[in-house]
């Protein structure tokens, strides 16, 4: 194990967090505010501790312009410069409304004009 002085270790961790935040396209929308997501996993996600307040309730998770999930979250813990949130409910976003009937035959995609 290599020993590093505390100020060097803190500088390296800050640089890694800055790089992860800049690299990530994921973001969480709470109300009118957006916060970059550092990591996303099955049961939750993490944001930078300095950027995000203690979020609760319904949020939307985006990958760039694409809406991925609508989730109900609670703050779980603060650790290593991250604020971690857990999903109470996580629903994948759809770009069309669900059908309330079963399609019997495949419908044509488009009609060709004359």
């Amino acid at each position: 194990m290599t020993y590093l002085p505390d100020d060097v270790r803190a500088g390296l961790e800050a640089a890694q967090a800055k790089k992860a935040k800049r690299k990530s396209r994921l973001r969480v929308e709470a109300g009118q505010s957006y916060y970059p997501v550092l990591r996303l996993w099955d049961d939750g996600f993490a944001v930078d501790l300095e950027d995000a307040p203690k979020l609760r309730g319904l949020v939307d998770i985006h990958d760039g312009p694409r809406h991925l999930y609508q989730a109900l979250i609670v703050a779980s813990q603060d650790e290593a410069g991250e604020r971690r949130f857990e999903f109470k409910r996580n629903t994948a976003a759809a770009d069309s409304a669900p059908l309330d009937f079963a399609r019997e035959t495949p419908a044509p995609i488009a009609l060709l004009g004359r």
Side-chain angles (χ1 to χ4, degrees):
M1 176 150 203
T2 305
Y3 173 75
L4 293 174
D6 291 337
D7 56 343
V8 173
R9 184 179 306 126
L12 286 173
E13 289 173 357
Q16 288 172 342
K18 184 177 178 182
K19 181 182 175 185
K21 186 167 47 169
R22 189 174 53 223
K23 185 174 77 171
S24 178
R25 291 174 32 114
L26 294 174
R27 59 191 165 91
V28 61
E29 176 187 2
Q32 298 296 321
S33 302
Y34 291 94
Y35 305 100
V37 174
L38 299 177
R39 296 183 300 123
L40 177 69
W41 56 91
D42 291 340
D43 299 336
F45 63 95
V47 296
D48 191 15
L49 185 61
E50 295 176 4
D51 288 345
K54 289 225 180 223
L55 300 174
R56 283 191 76 178
L58 197 61
V59 297
D60 293 308
I61 299 176
H62 297 269
D63 180 11
R66 201 174 90 220
H67 187 205
L68 294 178
Y69 304 107
Q70 188 175 55
L72 188 61
I73 61 166
V74 292
S76 63
Q77 60 184 328
D78 296 344
E79 186 176 312
E82 294 179 340
R83 180 162 287 150
R84 297 178 184 166
F85 297 92
E86 293 181 1
F87 295 132
K88 284 182 127 180
R89 176 183 63 86
N90 186 14
T91 306
D95 57 353
S96 63
L99 297 176
D100 59 350
F101 59 91
R103 289 192 174 160
E104 297 295 327
T105 59
I109 295 173
L111 297 175
L112 298 176
R114 293 184 189 199

